[in-house]
Amino acid sequence: MKLDEILSIESKSLIIAEIGQNHDGSLGMAHAYIDACADAGVNAIKFQTHIAAEESSFDDEFRVNFSYQDKSRYEYWKRMEFTKKEWLELKKHADEKKILFLSTPFSLAAVKLLKDIGVEGWKIGSGDISINGIFRSLLKLEMPMIISTGMSSWAEIDQLIKLLKKEKSNFCLMQCTSKYPTNLAEVGLNILHDFKKKYNCRVGLSDHSGSISPSLAALANGFNIIEVHATFDKRMFGPDVSSSLTLEEIESIVSFSKDLEIMRLNPINKDLIAKDLNKQKKLFGKSLTYNGDFEKGHIINEKDLSLKKPGSGVPIQDLHKLIGKKLKTNVKINRLLKLEEIE
Protein backbone atom coordinates (compact mmCIF):
# COMPACT_ATOMS: atom_id res chain seq x y z
CA MET A 1 0.00 0.00 0.00
CA LYS A 2 1.24 3.48 -0.90
CA LEU A 3 2.14 6.02 1.79
CA ASP A 4 -0.61 8.33 0.58
CA GLU A 5 -3.21 5.58 1.16
CA ILE A 6 -1.80 4.60 4.56
CA LEU A 7 -1.98 8.16 5.86
CA SER A 8 -5.51 8.52 4.50
CA ILE A 9 -6.91 5.45 6.30
CA GLU A 10 -7.05 5.89 10.06
CA SER A 11 -7.06 2.16 10.81
CA LYS A 12 -3.89 1.43 8.83
CA SER A 13 -0.72 0.90 10.84
CA LEU A 14 2.73 2.03 9.74
CA ILE A 15 5.77 0.71 11.58
CA ILE A 16 8.94 2.47 10.42
CA ALA A 17 12.43 1.17 11.15
CA GLU A 18 14.76 4.17 11.19
CA ILE A 19 18.31 3.21 10.22
CA GLY A 20 19.64 6.74 10.32
CA GLN A 21 23.42 6.51 10.59
CA ASN A 22 23.53 2.98 12.03
CA HIS A 23 24.97 1.72 8.74
CA ASP A 24 28.06 3.86 9.58
CA GLY A 25 28.60 4.77 5.95
CA SER A 26 28.73 1.17 4.72
CA LEU A 27 26.54 0.56 1.67
CA GLY A 28 26.65 -3.17 2.32
CA MET A 29 25.42 -2.63 5.88
CA ALA A 30 22.60 -0.40 4.60
CA HIS A 31 21.45 -3.20 2.27
CA ALA A 32 21.74 -5.71 5.12
CA TYR A 33 19.39 -3.56 7.20
CA ILE A 34 16.81 -3.63 4.40
CA ASP A 35 16.81 -7.44 4.45
CA ALA A 36 16.68 -7.61 8.24
CA CYS A 37 13.92 -5.02 8.60
CA ALA A 38 11.82 -6.74 5.93
CA ASP A 39 12.25 -10.01 7.84
CA ALA A 40 11.12 -8.24 11.03
CA GLY A 41 7.89 -7.32 9.27
CA VAL A 42 8.08 -3.52 9.27
CA ASN A 43 6.03 -1.53 6.75
CA ALA A 44 8.82 0.92 6.00
CA ILE A 45 12.53 1.47 6.33
CA LYS A 46 13.93 4.97 6.68
CA PHE A 47 17.39 6.36 6.09
CA GLN A 48 18.82 9.87 6.26
CA THR A 49 20.19 11.53 3.13
CA HIS A 50 23.15 13.69 4.06
CA ILE A 51 25.15 15.75 1.57
CA ALA A 52 27.82 17.36 3.72
CA ALA A 53 28.62 20.34 1.47
CA GLU A 54 24.92 21.22 1.21
CA GLU A 55 23.91 20.94 4.87
CA SER A 56 26.92 21.37 7.14
CA SER A 57 29.52 24.05 7.81
CA PHE A 58 33.02 23.44 9.10
CA ASP A 59 31.77 24.81 12.43
CA ASP A 60 29.18 22.02 12.81
CA GLU A 61 29.76 20.41 16.20
CA PHE A 62 29.20 16.81 17.24
CA ARG A 63 26.09 16.25 19.35
CA VAL A 64 28.10 13.46 20.99
CA ASN A 65 31.82 13.28 20.28
CA PHE A 66 31.73 9.56 19.57
CA SER A 67 33.88 9.11 16.45
CA TYR A 68 37.33 7.54 16.40
CA GLN A 69 37.97 8.47 12.77
CA ASP A 70 36.14 11.72 11.96
CA LYS A 71 37.88 14.92 13.01
CA SER A 72 34.72 16.99 12.57
CA ARG A 73 31.01 16.51 12.13
CA TYR A 74 31.39 17.71 8.54
CA GLU A 75 33.78 14.82 7.90
CA TYR A 76 31.31 12.46 9.52
CA TRP A 77 28.45 13.58 7.27
CA LYS A 78 30.78 13.25 4.29
CA ARG A 79 31.52 9.66 5.26
CA MET A 80 27.77 8.98 5.56
CA GLU A 81 27.06 10.02 1.96
CA PHE A 82 25.88 7.64 -0.75
CA THR A 83 25.79 8.49 -4.44
CA LYS A 84 22.53 8.94 -6.32
CA LYS A 85 23.07 5.53 -7.95
CA GLU A 86 23.63 3.92 -4.55
CA TRP A 87 20.46 5.52 -3.15
CA LEU A 88 18.52 4.24 -6.16
CA GLU A 89 19.80 0.71 -5.56
CA LEU A 90 18.77 0.95 -1.91
CA LYS A 91 15.27 2.03 -2.93
CA LYS A 92 15.02 -0.79 -5.50
CA HIS A 93 16.09 -3.26 -2.83
CA ALA A 94 13.35 -2.04 -0.48
CA ASP A 95 10.83 -2.22 -3.32
CA GLU A 96 11.84 -5.83 -3.99
CA LYS A 97 11.34 -6.61 -0.31
CA LYS A 98 7.90 -4.93 -0.49
CA ILE A 99 8.62 -2.37 2.20
CA LEU A 100 8.25 1.37 1.81
CA PHE A 101 11.50 3.27 1.29
CA LEU A 102 11.83 6.61 3.07
CA SER A 103 14.76 8.90 3.71
CA THR A 104 14.86 12.22 5.52
CA PRO A 105 16.46 14.95 3.39
CA PHE A 106 18.69 17.44 5.19
CA SER A 107 19.22 19.85 2.29
CA LEU A 108 17.46 20.98 -0.87
CA ALA A 109 19.99 18.95 -2.85
CA ALA A 110 18.93 15.87 -0.88
CA VAL A 111 15.28 16.66 -1.63
CA LYS A 112 16.05 16.72 -5.37
CA LEU A 113 18.07 13.50 -5.17
CA LEU A 114 15.31 11.64 -3.36
CA LYS A 115 12.62 12.97 -5.68
CA ASP A 116 14.68 11.84 -8.66
CA ILE A 117 14.94 8.27 -7.38
CA GLY A 118 11.17 8.11 -6.90
CA VAL A 119 10.36 8.35 -3.18
CA GLU A 120 6.61 8.54 -2.63
CA GLY A 121 6.62 10.75 0.45
CA TRP A 122 8.71 12.51 3.03
CA LYS A 123 9.80 12.03 6.61
CA ILE A 124 10.77 15.46 7.91
CA GLY A 125 13.16 15.60 10.86
CA SER A 126 12.54 17.74 13.91
CA GLY A 127 15.24 20.23 12.92
CA ASP A 128 13.71 21.06 9.56
CA ILE A 129 10.07 21.90 10.16
CA SER A 130 10.53 25.66 9.98
CA ILE A 131 7.95 26.78 7.43
CA ASN A 132 10.60 28.85 5.66
CA GLY A 133 13.20 26.10 5.19
CA ILE A 134 13.21 22.67 3.54
CA PHE A 135 9.64 22.17 4.69
CA ARG A 136 8.21 24.80 2.32
CA SER A 137 10.00 23.20 -0.63
CA LEU A 138 8.60 19.79 0.30
CA LEU A 139 5.13 21.26 0.70
CA LYS A 140 5.21 22.48 -2.91
CA LEU A 141 5.83 18.94 -4.13
CA GLU A 142 2.35 17.93 -2.87
CA MET A 143 3.44 14.55 -1.52
CA PRO A 144 2.47 12.89 1.78
CA MET A 145 4.56 13.88 4.80
CA ILE A 146 5.42 12.41 8.19
CA ILE A 147 6.57 15.26 10.39
CA SER A 148 8.50 15.04 13.67
CA THR A 149 8.13 17.77 16.27
CA GLY A 150 10.96 16.98 18.69
CA MET A 151 12.13 20.56 19.23
CA SER A 152 8.99 22.53 18.43
CA SER A 153 6.83 24.73 20.64
CA TRP A 154 3.03 24.80 20.44
CA ALA A 155 3.17 28.13 18.60
CA GLU A 156 5.49 26.69 15.96
CA ILE A 157 3.31 23.59 15.52
CA ASP A 158 0.17 25.75 15.27
CA GLN A 159 1.77 27.70 12.44
CA LEU A 160 2.85 24.48 10.72
CA ILE A 161 -0.59 22.85 10.93
CA LYS A 162 -2.30 26.00 9.66
CA LEU A 163 -0.16 25.91 6.54
CA LEU A 164 -0.58 22.15 6.03
CA LYS A 165 -4.37 22.37 6.26
CA LYS A 166 -4.46 25.41 3.99
CA GLU A 167 -2.58 23.39 1.36
CA LYS A 168 -4.80 20.32 2.03
CA SER A 169 -1.70 18.21 2.63
CA ASN A 170 -1.82 14.53 3.54
CA PHE A 171 0.33 14.31 6.65
CA CYS A 172 0.97 12.67 9.99
CA LEU A 173 2.19 14.66 12.99
CA MET A 174 4.69 12.77 15.13
CA GLN A 175 5.27 13.34 18.82
CA CYS A 176 9.02 13.19 19.30
CA THR A 177 11.50 14.22 21.98
CA SER A 178 14.92 15.00 20.53
CA LYS A 179 17.02 13.44 23.25
CA TYR A 180 19.20 10.42 22.57
CA PRO A 181 18.17 8.30 24.34
CA THR A 182 14.91 9.79 25.60
CA ASN A 183 14.09 9.17 29.24
CA LEU A 184 10.73 7.40 29.54
CA ALA A 185 9.48 10.29 31.66
CA GLU A 186 9.95 12.58 28.64
CA VAL A 187 8.39 10.45 25.89
CA GLY A 188 5.18 12.50 26.07
CA LEU A 189 2.31 10.09 25.49
CA ASN A 190 -0.01 12.90 26.59
CA ILE A 191 1.05 14.94 23.57
CA LEU A 192 -0.32 12.27 21.24
CA HIS A 193 -3.78 12.85 22.70
CA ASP A 194 -3.26 16.62 22.67
CA PHE A 195 -2.28 16.56 18.98
CA LYS A 196 -5.34 14.51 18.08
CA LYS A 197 -7.72 16.71 20.01
CA LYS A 198 -6.19 20.01 18.89
CA TYR A 199 -5.47 19.29 15.23
CA ASN A 200 -7.72 16.33 14.30
CA CYS A 201 -5.09 14.75 12.08
CA ARG A 202 -3.12 11.50 11.86
CA VAL A 203 -0.81 11.30 14.86
CA GLY A 204 2.11 8.99 15.56
CA LEU A 205 5.16 8.50 17.76
CA SER A 206 8.79 8.85 16.74
CA ASP A 207 10.61 7.34 19.69
CA HIS A 208 14.26 7.52 20.77
CA SER A 209 13.98 5.81 24.15
CA GLY A 210 15.67 2.53 23.23
CA SER A 211 12.71 0.74 24.85
CA ILE A 212 9.72 -0.98 23.25
CA SER A 213 7.37 0.35 25.96
CA PRO A 214 6.53 3.74 24.35
CA SER A 215 5.66 2.11 21.03
CA LEU A 216 3.43 -0.49 22.65
CA ALA A 217 1.73 2.18 24.76
CA ALA A 218 1.12 4.41 21.75
CA LEU A 219 -0.33 1.52 19.76
CA ALA A 220 -2.58 0.49 22.64
CA ASN A 221 -3.87 4.06 22.79
CA GLY A 222 -4.83 3.96 19.11
CA PHE A 223 -1.81 5.74 17.60
CA ASN A 224 -0.65 3.31 14.96
CA ILE A 225 2.12 5.16 13.13
CA ILE A 226 5.35 4.33 14.92
CA GLU A 227 8.97 5.11 14.12
CA VAL A 228 11.88 3.59 16.04
CA HIS A 229 15.61 3.44 15.40
CA ALA A 230 16.90 -0.01 14.45
CA THR A 231 20.23 -1.66 15.20
CA PHE A 232 21.57 -5.17 14.76
CA ASP A 233 23.00 -5.08 18.27
CA LYS A 234 23.06 -2.48 21.05
CA ARG A 235 26.83 -2.90 21.29
CA MET A 236 27.38 -1.57 17.76
CA PHE A 237 29.13 1.70 16.97
CA GLY A 238 27.29 4.93 16.28
CA PRO A 239 25.66 7.99 17.88
CA ASP A 240 22.11 6.58 17.73
CA VAL A 241 22.67 3.02 18.94
CA SER A 242 21.71 3.81 22.54
CA SER A 243 18.40 5.17 21.21
CA SER A 244 17.75 2.15 19.01
CA LEU A 245 15.89 -1.15 19.27
CA THR A 246 17.18 -4.49 18.08
CA LEU A 247 15.45 -6.17 15.15
CA GLU A 248 14.00 -8.71 17.57
CA GLU A 249 12.46 -5.92 19.64
CA ILE A 250 11.05 -4.28 16.53
CA GLU A 251 9.59 -7.62 15.47
CA SER A 252 7.71 -7.76 18.77
CA ILE A 253 6.25 -4.29 18.09
CA VAL A 254 5.16 -5.41 14.62
CA SER A 255 3.53 -8.51 16.08
CA PHE A 256 1.72 -6.46 18.73
CA SER A 257 0.54 -4.01 16.08
CA LYS A 258 -0.89 -6.79 13.91
CA ASP A 259 -2.63 -8.44 16.86
CA LEU A 260 -4.08 -5.10 17.93
CA GLU A 261 -5.33 -4.37 14.42
CA ILE A 262 -7.17 -7.70 14.32
CA MET A 263 -8.87 -6.93 17.63
CA ARG A 264 -9.75 -3.34 16.72
CA LEU A 265 -11.16 -4.24 13.31
CA ASN A 266 -13.32 -7.01 14.75
CA PRO A 267 -15.61 -5.64 17.47
CA ILE A 268 -17.73 -8.38 19.02
CA ASN A 269 -21.43 -8.60 19.87
CA LYS A 270 -21.79 -9.95 23.40
CA ASP A 271 -25.18 -11.53 22.71
CA LEU A 272 -23.91 -13.35 19.62
CA ILE A 273 -20.80 -14.52 21.45
CA ALA A 274 -22.92 -15.75 24.36
CA LYS A 275 -25.08 -17.72 21.94
CA ASP A 276 -22.01 -19.16 20.25
CA LEU A 277 -20.59 -20.17 23.65
CA ASN A 278 -23.77 -21.84 24.89
CA LYS A 279 -22.08 -25.26 25.01
CA GLN A 280 -19.25 -23.90 27.15
CA LYS A 281 -21.77 -22.05 29.29
CA LYS A 282 -23.48 -25.34 30.13
CA LEU A 283 -20.14 -27.02 30.76
CA PHE A 284 -18.79 -24.31 33.08
CA GLY A 285 -22.10 -23.40 34.71
CA LYS A 286 -23.84 -25.04 37.70
CA SER A 287 -27.23 -26.66 38.28
CA LEU A 288 -29.28 -27.79 41.24
CA THR A 289 -28.22 -31.15 42.71
CA TYR A 290 -29.41 -33.32 45.61
CA ASN A 291 -27.53 -33.15 48.91
CA GLY A 292 -28.66 -36.65 49.95
CA ASP A 293 -30.52 -39.82 49.01
CA PHE A 294 -34.24 -39.07 49.17
CA GLU A 295 -37.21 -41.41 48.80
CA LYS A 296 -40.39 -41.01 46.81
CA GLY A 297 -42.81 -38.65 48.59
CA HIS A 298 -40.05 -36.56 50.23
CA ILE A 299 -40.95 -32.88 50.50
CA ILE A 300 -38.09 -30.75 49.11
CA ASN A 301 -36.64 -27.97 51.25
CA GLU A 302 -33.78 -25.59 50.49
CA LYS A 303 -31.22 -27.60 52.52
CA ASP A 304 -31.82 -30.63 50.27
CA LEU A 305 -30.28 -28.86 47.26
CA SER A 306 -26.97 -27.31 46.23
CA LEU A 307 -25.30 -25.98 43.06
CA LYS A 308 -22.75 -28.09 41.14
CA LYS A 309 -21.41 -28.47 37.61
CA PRO A 310 -22.48 -28.82 34.84
CA GLY A 311 -24.92 -26.06 33.99
CA SER A 312 -27.13 -28.20 31.78
CA GLY A 313 -29.72 -28.92 34.49
CA VAL A 314 -32.21 -26.86 36.48
CA PRO A 315 -30.80 -23.37 37.23
CA ILE A 316 -30.72 -21.73 40.65
CA GLN A 317 -33.30 -19.22 39.41
CA ASP A 318 -35.93 -22.01 39.56
CA LEU A 319 -35.23 -22.93 43.19
CA HIS A 320 -38.31 -21.13 44.51
CA LYS A 321 -40.51 -23.26 42.23
CA LEU A 322 -39.26 -26.48 43.84
CA ILE A 323 -39.42 -25.73 47.57
CA GLY A 324 -42.35 -27.64 49.12
CA LYS A 325 -42.81 -29.93 46.13
CA LYS A 326 -42.97 -33.74 46.48
CA LEU A 327 -40.64 -36.26 44.85
CA LYS A 328 -42.28 -38.67 42.39
CA THR A 329 -39.41 -41.17 42.64
CA ASN A 330 -36.32 -42.10 44.69
CA VAL A 331 -33.26 -39.89 44.01
CA LYS A 332 -29.54 -40.17 44.76
CA ILE A 333 -27.07 -37.77 46.33
CA ASN A 334 -24.83 -35.65 44.05
CA ARG A 335 -27.05 -36.13 40.97
CA LEU A 336 -28.61 -33.33 38.97
CA LEU A 337 -32.22 -32.61 39.85
CA LYS A 338 -34.65 -33.36 36.97
CA LEU A 339 -38.04 -31.71 36.66
CA GLU A 340 -39.71 -35.02 35.77
CA GLU A 341 -38.78 -36.27 39.28
CA ILE A 342 -40.95 -33.57 40.89
CA GLU A 343 -44.75 -33.65 41.23
Side-chain angles (χ1 to χ4, degrees):
M1 185 174 283
K2 298 290 186 181
L3 180 60
D4 197 43
E5 295 176 86
I6 293 171
L7 296 188
S8 300
I9 303 172
E10 194 79 27
S11 63
K12 288 298 177 185
S13 299
L14 179 64
I15 310 299
I16 306 167
E18 156 78 282
I19 307 306
Q21 309 312 308
N22 285 349
H23 54 71
D24 197 44
S26 164
L27 183 62
M29 187 69 78
H31 279 282
Y33 270 115
I34 292 175
D35 288 326
C37 289
D39 289 343
V42 301
N43 308 103
I45 188 167
K46 192 189 83 68
F47 293 92
Q48 297 177 7
T49 301
H50 294 280
I51 303 174
E54 298 292 334
E55 72 171 81
S56 180
S57 72
F58 295 135
D59 296 317
D60 194 7
E61 297 181 358
F62 281 114
R63 170 171 53 82
V64 178
N65 193 5
F66 68 95
S67 183
Y68 296 100
Q69 61 192 109
D70 307 298
K71 294 179 181 179
S72 67
R73 203 171 188 216
Y74 182 95
E75 286 187 13
Y76 175 65
W77 295 135
K78 191 72 178 173
R79 189 164 62 81
M80 292 299 106
E81 291 181 13
F82 295 137
T83 66
K84 183 176 180 179
K85 181 181 177 182
E86 289 168 337
W87 279 119
L88 182 59
E89 289 303 314
L90 286 167
K91 182 185 181 299
K92 286 180 177 179
H93 188 174
D95 292 344
E96 289 167 2
K97 288 292 182 177
K98 301 188 185 307
I99 57 174
L100 181 66
F101 176 89
L102 295 169
S103 188
T104 299
F106 287 87
S107 64
L108 293 177
V111 171
K112 183 179 185 308
L113 184 156
L114 291 170
K115 185 174 184 297
D116 287 348
I117 68 169
V119 296
E120 59 181 75
W122 306 102
K123 169 65 204 302
I124 305 173
S126 297
D128 282 308
I129 69 168
S130 166
I131 64 171
N132 295 313
I134 291 174
F135 172 76
R136 189 171 288 276
S137 297
L138 294 174
L139 192 64
K140 291 178 182 178
L141 296 175
E142 297 183 343
M143 295 166 70
M145 293 185 283
I146 300 170
I147 306 166
S148 282
T149 60
M151 296 175 279
S152 301
S153 66
W154 279 113
E156 290 168 327
I157 299 169
D158 285 345
Q159 190 177 27
L160 181 79
I161 296 297
K162 184 177 180 180
L163 182 56
L164 285 164
K165 292 198 170 183
K166 179 182 178 183
E167 297 297 325
K168 298 181 179 178
S169 301
N170 190 6
F171 68 95
C172 175
L173 194 64
M174 305 290 277
Q175 162 55 11
C176 174
T177 301
S178 298
K179 293 186 178 183
Y180 307 85
T182 300
N183 187 293
L184 289 176
E186 296 180 298
V187 167
L189 289 180
N190 62 301
I191 300 298
L192 296 168
H193 296 280
D194 292 342
F195 279 172
K196 191 67 180 176
K197 183 177 180 180
K198 186 176 176 68
Y199 303 124
N200 191 29
C201 64
R202 284 304 296 272
V203 174
L205 177 69
S206 180
D207 180 47
H208 304 131
S209 68
S211 165
I212 68 171
S213 296
S215 296
L216 299 182
L219 287 165
N221 276 275
F223 302 100
N224 54 6
I225 296 182
I226 303 293
E227 179 187 36
V228 289
H229 282 255
T231 183
F232 282 119
D233 191 290
K234 292 189 179 183
R235 293 166 293 184
M236 291 187 73
F237 173 79
D240 296 326
V241 173
S242 64
S243 312
S244 301
L245 301 179
T246 65
L247 275 299
E248 291 78 14
E249 288 174 318
I250 292 174
E251 190 171 359
S252 68
I253 293 173
V254 171
S255 177
F256 181 78
S257 173
K258 289 178 178 178
D259 290 347
L260 201 56
E261 187 167 341
I262 291 170
M263 291 184 281
R264 283 217 165 105
L265 293 179
N266 292 278
I268 68 164
N269 181 301
K270 285 295 287 181
D271 288 335
L272 290 178
I273 287 289
K275 185 177 179 181
D276 186 52
L277 295 175
N278 192 51
K279 184 177 180 180
Q280 287 92 322
K281 188 176 183 179
K282 289 180 178 179
L283 182 64
F284 297 140
K286 293 179 180 179
S287 307
L288 292 170
T289 61
Y290 295 109
N291 284 335
D293 295 335
F294 303 113
E295 295 182 353
K296 178 181 176 180
H298 178 78
I299 304 299
I300 298 174
N301 63 64
E302 192 168 343
K303 292 182 180 180
D304 294 336
L305 303 174
S306 61
L307 278 176
K308 293 184 180 179
K309 295 178 182 178
S312 55
V314 179
I316 184 66
Q317 291 88 339
D318 290 343
L319 176 63
H320 68 283
K321 300 176 183 178
L322 302 171
I323 303 303
K325 294 295 179 72
K326 187 184 296 184
L327 288 174
K328 294 165 59 177
T329 183
N330 297 337
V331 296
K332 295 290 186 180
I333 189 172
N334 208 32
R335 301 305 298 265
L336 293 184
L337 180 149
K338 298 177 182 178
L339 291 177
E340 57 265 31
E341 299 165 343
I342 312 296
E343 286 188 356

